[in-house]
Amino acid sequence: MNQQKINFSFQCQASCSHTKARAGVFVTPHGVVETPRFMPVGTLATVKTLTPAQLEVAGAQMVLANTYHLHLQPGEAIIKQAGGLHRFMGWHGPILTDSGGFQVFSLSQLRTITEEGVTFRSPRDGRMIDITPERCMEIQHALGADVIMAFDECPPYPAERTEVELATQRTYRWLKRCIVAHNRPDQQALFGIVQGGVYLDLRQKAAESLVELDLPGYAIGGVSVGEPAELIHQIVETTAPLLPWHKPRYLMGVGTYREMVLAIASGIDLFDCVIPTRLGRHGTALVQGERWNLKNARFREDFSPLDASCPCYCCQNFSRAYLNHLVRSRESLGYMLLSHHNVTELIRFTQAIRAAILSDQFTTQFAHWLFTSC
């Protein structure tokens, strides 16, 4: 069941002498991704408030879109007619599409799960929609992303062990159906998703089963769904080393400073999260590990840059006082500038980690995040 093709490859360039952190290069048909790397989330074929040109300036190499949301609006047929996601959204670098499993299973009052798949009522127009592993592959084929995710069942937190075990087993069976239905392995890399909730033995068993399928890459899913941060760390620390060294490893839905550092120390390569743009739209900036609410009165007469060390357009051209004014006035420019800065900040953060791994200074330069409980 080997889905690895010549258009996709992963090469580890360096590893940390004290942790399992590594720096690598993931090659896709639309370009390379230097890892570890934060990937901005563009759920509806747009990273909210940012243009593709701004994303490129921010250092983005790979962005995400969501199968579930794009299926509902505008529909994969329209995107295929436009020439695929890359042309539709004007982004020419690599794209990853999430399968939409998390979104579907979050509709707990609107959906029914069977072995065949999931039936749910569209929250947009009320129509009934059936998503099976085969249909999920069909939609993602039409979207045309470089990396596509297998359809999985994401159990909630908290959940009884029996419920999680059944979901994890079903995820594996659905993955095998996705593999059979996937007919574009030279153009789209299918990643499997390790589930198992907070039960480490289930995570281990799931990872070992997925590795046997020899996929182009692997993701750890079902984290950051409400469980304490320490449980996330345990899950990643247990699971990541079980995944192949020569394949990319993706931690889904995680994008905070400390969680990324700890995950990288366990061997994770790729991250995504809505945090930078969501915070930006609420007037909050990520600044060197801290969160600043630009509405606060302390910024009203502060004419210094948001972060003088940041090369982004926001920091190089505008003051904290101006950003305070924009946010207080509810001007859309303020949300755009903060989102652009936040995305730049998290990408720069992972770039700095990559540089530290290449020089074997990871544990020295990021000790604050690795060895404190902040």
Side-chain angles (χ1 to χ4, degrees), residues 164-182:
V164 175
E165 191 166 16
L166 290 173
T168 304
Q169 293 170 351
R170 183 178 287 121
T171 290
Y172 176 71
R173 294 192 295 271
W174 282 358
L175 170 59
K176 291 199 291 185
R177 288 166 58 186
C178 287
I179 292 172
V180 173
H182 181 37

Side-chain angles (χ1 to χ4, degrees), residues 39 62-65 94-98 145-149 191 250:
M39 304 180 292
M62 189 173 201
V63 301
L64 272 71
I95 298 176
L96 181 152
T97 43
D98 189 358
D146 300 87
V147 174
I148 61 177
M149 304 303 299
F191 281 25
Y250 163 34

Side-chain angles (χ1 to χ4, degrees), residues 76-370:
E76 66 275 8
I78 289 177
I79 294 175
K80 183 177 182 180
Q81 185 179 350
L85 263 180
H86 294 86
R87 289 188 180 179
F88 189 62
M89 63 186 288
W91 172 257
H92 304 297
I95 298 176
L96 181 152
T97 43
D98 189 358
S99 67
F102 173 79
Q103 286 74 26
V104 169
F105 292 104
S106 67
L107 302 172
S108 58
Q109 305 302 315
L110 301 174
R111 47 87 170 148
T112 302
I113 306 172
T114 67
E115 184 63 26
E116 181 62 18
V118 181
T119 300
F120 64 97
R121 186 175 298 280
S122 169
R124 181 175 290 272
D125 58 16
R127 63 192 170 100
M128 298 303 297
I129 298 175
D130 294 315
I131 298 290
T132 65
E134 293 79 10
R135 183 73 180 112
C136 181
M137 289 296 97
E138 182 182 356
I139 295 170
Q140 292 190 83
H141 289 160
L143 296 176
D146 300 87
V147 174
I148 61 177
M149 304 303 299
F151 194 54
D152 63 323
E153 181 175 349
C154 181
Y157 176 85
E160 295 294 332
R161 180 186 172 90
T162 301
E163 180 183 358
V164 175
E165 191 166 16
L166 290 173
T168 304
Q169 293 170 351
R170 183 178 287 121
T171 290
Y172 176 71
R173 294 192 295 271
W174 282 358
L175 170 59
K176 291 199 291 185
R177 288 166 58 186
C178 287
I179 292 172
V180 173
H182 181 37
N183 56 24
R184 306 179 78 231
D186 56 331
Q187 300 171 65
Q188 296 180 286
L190 173 62
F191 281 25
I193 303 174
V194 179
Q195 291 288 356
V198 298
Y199 303 98
L200 299 184
D201 60 320
L202 295 183
R203 290 279 181 177
Q204 179 176 350
K205 184 176 180 181
E208 292 170 350
S209 298
L210 266 62
V211 168
E212 292 179 357
L213 299 177
D214 192 23
L215 298 162
Y218 298 85
I220 299 175
V223 298
S224 196
V225 292
E227 71 276 36
E230 288 307 315
L231 281 180
I232 298 177
H233 304 156
Q234 291 176 22
I235 292 167
V236 175
E237 188 177 34
T238 299
T239 308
L242 300 175
L243 302 176
W245 177 260
H246 61 292
K247 303 288 180 69
R249 303 163 176 168
Y250 163 34
L251 181 60
M252 305 178 75
V254 171
T256 56
Y257 295 93
R258 184 167 185 259
E259 278 63 42
M260 287 197 294
V261 171
L262 292 175
I264 288 168
S266 295
I268 293 295
D269 306 301
L270 299 169
F271 304 87
D272 80 282
C273 192
V274 298
I275 280 179
T277 51
R278 179 173 290 171
L279 289 179
R281 297 195 308 277
H282 289 84
T284 299
L286 296 168
V287 183
Q288 299 186 23
E290 298 180 351
R291 295 187 184 186
W292 293 0
N293 183 349
L294 269 296
K295 295 177 185 177
N296 288 347
R298 69 186 178 103
F299 297 117
R300 294 190 71 165
E301 298 179 54
D302 187 343
F303 301 102
S304 57
L306 180 61
D307 180 354
S309 68
C310 178
C312 81
Y313 179 75
C314 173
C315 292
Q316 292 299 309
N317 290 277
F318 305 104
S319 68
R320 298 170 185 178
Y322 182 60
L323 293 168
N324 173 273
H325 158 66
L326 291 176
V327 172
R328 282 174 170 265
S329 302
R330 299 183 180 180
E331 286 287 344
S332 58
L333 176 61
Y335 308 135
M336 183 274 286
L337 290 173
L338 290 176
S339 294
H340 190 200
H341 164 77
N342 288 346
V343 168
T344 303
E345 167 72 7
L346 290 188
I347 292 173
R348 288 179 67 227
F349 186 70
T350 52
Q351 285 178 306
I353 294 175
R354 171 181 165 80
I357 296 170
L358 289 171
S359 62
D360 203 15
Q361 297 293 314
F362 175 57
T363 54
T364 302
Q365 294 184 21
F366 292 87
H368 170 65
W369 300 105
L370 286 166

